Amino acid sequence: MVQEVIDKILYQYSYLNLYLLSFVYFLFMYFALAQGFLAICKWLHKKGVLHKIVVKEIPAKQIRYEVMHSLSSIIIFGFSALPIIYLIRIDFVQLLPNTVVNVLIGLVVLTIWNEVHFFVVHRIMHLPFFMRHVHVIHHRSNIPTV
């Protein structure tokens, strides 16, 4: 059943539909999961487990700025699934069967990949060109937000 759904998504959906699925996924991450995480952080702060990094209130202008740039990022990130699905469709990438062992191995590999990818990309973002033209937006958030 699950494999049939995965196969239908990977092989029968148009690239536009795949982009929209990816776009909605990132919208959910940014604006639903992040709000849940924020609620947990506020609750842990109230319990004395966490402490705020900056105690100032976040200005509405900063929130609008971050929402607009988050939406820009989501539009770009929505395209990230398409090359992978293309490589699967041309049989350049083979998916392993959904077994417990494969899922556990996949989680370990994905976790390692996520850390390495984040470090490398963040390091690249601090190169002068990318810092001036791309990453500066991140550093303009003078009060950290989810």
Side-chain angles (χ1 to χ4, degrees), residues 53 78 138:
I53 298 171
H138 168 72

Side-chain angles (χ1 to χ4, degrees), residues 37-38 40-56 143-144:
F37 182 71
L38 180 60
I40 291 168
C41 288
K42 286 181 177 180
W43 180 76
L44 289 171
H45 178 260
K46 193 181 284 186
K47 296 289 183 190
V49 177
L50 292 180
H51 302 285
K52 288 186 177 184
I53 298 171
V54 179
V55 293
K56 296 188 300 187
I143 302 172

Side-chain angles (χ1 to χ4, degrees), residues 63-142:
I63 292 172
R64 281 191 306 275
Y65 179 84
E66 291 190 18
V67 167
M68 292 309 297
H69 283 91
S70 292
L71 287 171
S72 299
S73 296
I74 290 168
I75 289 167
I76 294 166
F77 293 163
F79 289 103
S80 64
L82 301 183
I84 297 164
I85 292 171
Y86 173 76
L87 293 174
I88 291 168
R89 285 182 175 182
I90 65 169
D91 289 328
F92 186 79
V93 171
Q94 297 287 318
L95 299 178
L96 297 174
N98 288 326
T99 65
V100 172
V101 172
N102 286 344
V103 170
L104 291 175
I105 291 169
L107 287 171
V108 169
V109 169
L110 183 60
T111 301
I112 293 168
W113 167 251
N114 185 61
E115 294 303 314
V116 170
H117 177 265
F118 180 83
F119 173 80
V120 170
V121 169
H122 196 248
R123 180 67 189 98
I124 291 169
M125 288 294 121
H126 279 259
L127 294 174
F129 175 82
F130 292 109
M131 185 60 147
R132 265 193 316 274
H133 300 291
V134 179
H135 196 57
V136 68
I137 292 165
H138 168 72
H139 285 273
R140 286 188 181 143
S141 298
N142 54 8

Side-chain angles (χ1 to χ4, degrees), residues 9-66:
I9 291 169
L10 289 177
Y11 294 103
Q12 295 178 12
Y13 280 28
S14 71
Y15 283 104
L16 176 61
N17 287 340
L18 292 167
Y19 172 80
L20 292 173
L21 273 175
S22 183
F23 178 82
V24 168
Y25 167 75
F26 283 108
L27 273 177
F28 176 75
M29 276 184 34
Y30 273 61
F31 296 107
L33 286 180
Q35 293 307 309
F37 182 71
L38 180 60
I40 291 168
C41 288
K42 286 181 177 180
W43 180 76
L44 289 171
H45 178 260
K46 193 181 284 186
K47 296 289 183 190
V49 177
L50 292 180
H51 302 285
K52 288 186 177 184
I53 298 171
V54 179
V55 293
K56 296 188 300 187
E57 288 299 314
I58 302 167
K61 183 178 178 181
Q62 179 181 338
I63 292 172
R64 281 191 306 275
Y65 179 84
E66 291 190 18

